[in-house]
Amino acid sequence: IRGVVKEWVFKNPLFYMCFKEGMCLANSLEKTALEIGEKIADSQGVYLVDVSFDKEKDGNYLRLYIDRDGGVGIDECETFSRAFDEAFDENLISTNYCLEVSSPGVDRVLKKEREILYYIGREVDVKLYSAMDGVKEFTAELIGFENKEFIFKFSDKELRIPQKQAAQVRLSFKF
């Protein structure tokens, strides 16, 4: 039977990719978590910035990052976590995981379109893979994100940089 299964797996590359990498499970869990989390976030006056399901050496972690104007504290994270845990468990998730709910952090690296759009209007620190006009690192206002391009306000000019050319875009934090 092993040969039959192996042959079927290789003839069905999507299944093989999902089985080998565990990505379909992660994507499915993230999608369900996002749907449930958005409803809870709306009811609690917070925004669900990001969701990730990460397989690590010591287990699986479902991480949700919430925020609101002025930031969130431990109480908001705890309230959200309790509500989310109850609602998520109703979906009969069979995978073991550790749930973590936190703020995104003051110097969060912006990777996903969802979080990039949330932080439009904020000051960010930008590092490029290669210099543009002699500049490789700068601080600017994030004013948009379209067609996988960051749009910054830098030195009173609009600057468009493809996401793949930005090594890192993170929220700027000044002490």
Side-chain angles (χ1 to χ4, degrees), residues 5 59 109:
V5 170
V109 174

Side-chain angles (χ1 to χ4, degrees), residues 74-132:
I74 189 92
D75 293 336
E76 290 88 1
C77 291
E78 179 183 4
T79 301
F80 183 91
S81 177
R82 289 181 191 276
F84 178 85
D85 195 33
E86 184 178 313
F88 198 64
D89 284 348
E90 288 175 6
N91 282 276
L92 302 173
I93 304 300
S94 61
T95 302
N96 291 331
Y97 64 91
C98 178
L99 176 62
E100 293 180 354
V101 176
S102 69
S103 75
V106 293
D107 64 346
R108 180 172 180 80
V109 174
L110 306 181
K111 297 177 185 173
K112 295 181 182 175
E113 182 175 11
R114 175 183 182 80
E115 60 192 332
I116 294 166
L117 293 173
Y118 178 73
Y119 289 112
I120 287 177
R122 295 278 303 268
E123 191 171 81
V124 292
D125 295 324
V126 181
K127 292 182 182 178
L128 304 175
Y129 285 113
S130 56
M132 290 180 64

Side-chain angles (χ1 to χ4, degrees), residues 21-32:
E21 301 298 329
M23 292 305 295
C24 287
L25 173 63
N27 291 340
S28 174
L29 284 173
E30 287 178 5
K31 182 179 178 193
T32 302

Side-chain angles (χ1 to χ4, degrees), residues 59-70:
N60 299 319
Y61 291 85
L62 180 57
R63 295 182 171 108
L64 290 91
Y65 301 93
I66 61 172
D67 203 1
R68 69 170 180 205
D69 289 340

Side-chain angles (χ1 to χ4, degrees), residues 155-170:
S155 298
D156 293 324
K157 290 186 245 174
E158 183 178 291
L159 179 62
R160 291 178 170 263
I161 298 177
Q163 189 174 17
K164 64 183 178 186
Q165 291 180 6
Q168 190 176 82
V169 176
R170 76 171 50 235

